[in-house]
Amino acid sequence: MHMHRSFHAFLPCVALLFALGLAPVASAQQTIPSEVITAASIDAQQQQAIAGAVAPIAAKLDKGSDDDVAAARVEMMNLFERARTLGGTPAFSAALSGEVARALAGAMQTDRVICRLNAMLIAGQVQSPRVVPLLLSGLKDSAPAVRYAAAKSLYTLLTLNNGEPAANVFDADAYTGLINGLGEAMSGAANEALVREAFLALAKIPVPDA
């Protein structure tokens, strides 16, 4: 019954997320060369190419108009989608995720809800421990839509690999932070059903070595 009430309480958030349009679509943006995406290791020049593709998107996400912010989310999603399509290597995924995590950290500092909301929607694709503190801050956000998006993205991240927990994303510190943060969210104002689902997904992941 409690979960039923929580679901209805967050229906406006769900409606807002659908209104934003979650599916990546075609968009003009700087393309990361395919040889970088499939590289076994990332050198300084390749890292610069990744940063160069992320930087203009980050600027729109952080300081752009509302339309720019929505477009920035689509462009970020497109980066991850292209990497999946081309079979991006773990080295590339780590490099891209690090750059995107930095971009999201900036967006989470703004007082504009639309920036923080879109940052949380992107965060579910960022396979890096650096995104965990951002998701935990999203669970405590003053805006219900941001809290909902943070919980949704956290659940997505925890089950990204064909429904299996993405254990490689979390180091020992990130795992501990999630345990504490999700426990706090479950007992606080943001105890939506998705937080419980995320907690259950996290429980399936073996505790990482310290």
Side-chain angles (χ1 to χ4, degrees):
M1 179 66 69
H2 180 74
M3 289 181 66
H4 180 74
R5 289 197 302 269
S6 297
F7 174 77
H8 283 285
F10 280 85
L11 276 177
C13 304
V14 177
L16 178 56
L17 298 186
F18 275 105
L20 285 169
L22 302 184
V25 297
S27 176
Q29 62 187 94
Q30 184 171 335
T31 301
I32 299 171
S34 58
E35 58 268 24
V36 176
I37 294 174
T38 56
S41 60
I42 301 297
D43 61 26
Q45 186 175 3
Q46 291 168 326
Q47 184 69 48
Q48 187 175 9
I50 297 169
V54 171
I57 306 175
K60 288 197 290 187
L61 182 66
D62 191 10
K63 298 182 174 67
S65 67
D66 288 359
D67 286 345
D68 284 340
V69 172
R73 172 181 51 78
V74 171
E75 291 173 15
M76 286 288 197
M77 295 294 202
N78 284 345
L79 291 178
F80 288 102
E81 181 60 30
R82 185 163 185 265
R84 283 191 289 268
T85 299
L86 295 178
T89 61
F92 173 77
S93 177
L96 176 62
S97 291
E99 294 294 337
V100 174
R102 275 190 284 273
L104 300 186
M108 288 302 290
Q109 297 302 312
T110 179
D111 59 0
R112 295 171 62 199
V113 172
I114 191 169
C115 296
R116 304 197 307 275
L117 172 60
N118 280 277
M120 288 295 92
L121 291 173
I122 295 165
Q125 302 297 316
V126 183
Q127 298 193 55
S128 167
R130 296 183 58 177
V131 80
V132 172
L134 302 179
L135 286 165
L136 292 177
S137 69
L139 289 174
K140 301 175 184 177
D141 198 271
S142 59
V146 177
R147 295 199 301 270
Y148 182 88
K152 177 176 171 51
S153 285
L154 181 54
Y155 179 74
T156 298
L157 189 60
L158 285 165
T159 59
L160 194 61
N161 298 335
N162 297 317
E164 294 298 320
N168 59 307
V169 176
F170 305 104
D171 58 20
D173 289 341
Y175 186 95
T176 301
L178 278 173
I179 288 288
N180 294 335
L182 285 172
E184 181 179 340
M186 285 178 69
S187 62
N191 69 344
E192 56 265 19
L194 272 171
V195 173
R196 291 189 177 85
E197 294 299 322
F199 200 100
L200 292 174
L202 180 64
K204 298 177 184 178
I205 298 179
V207 179
D209 295 330

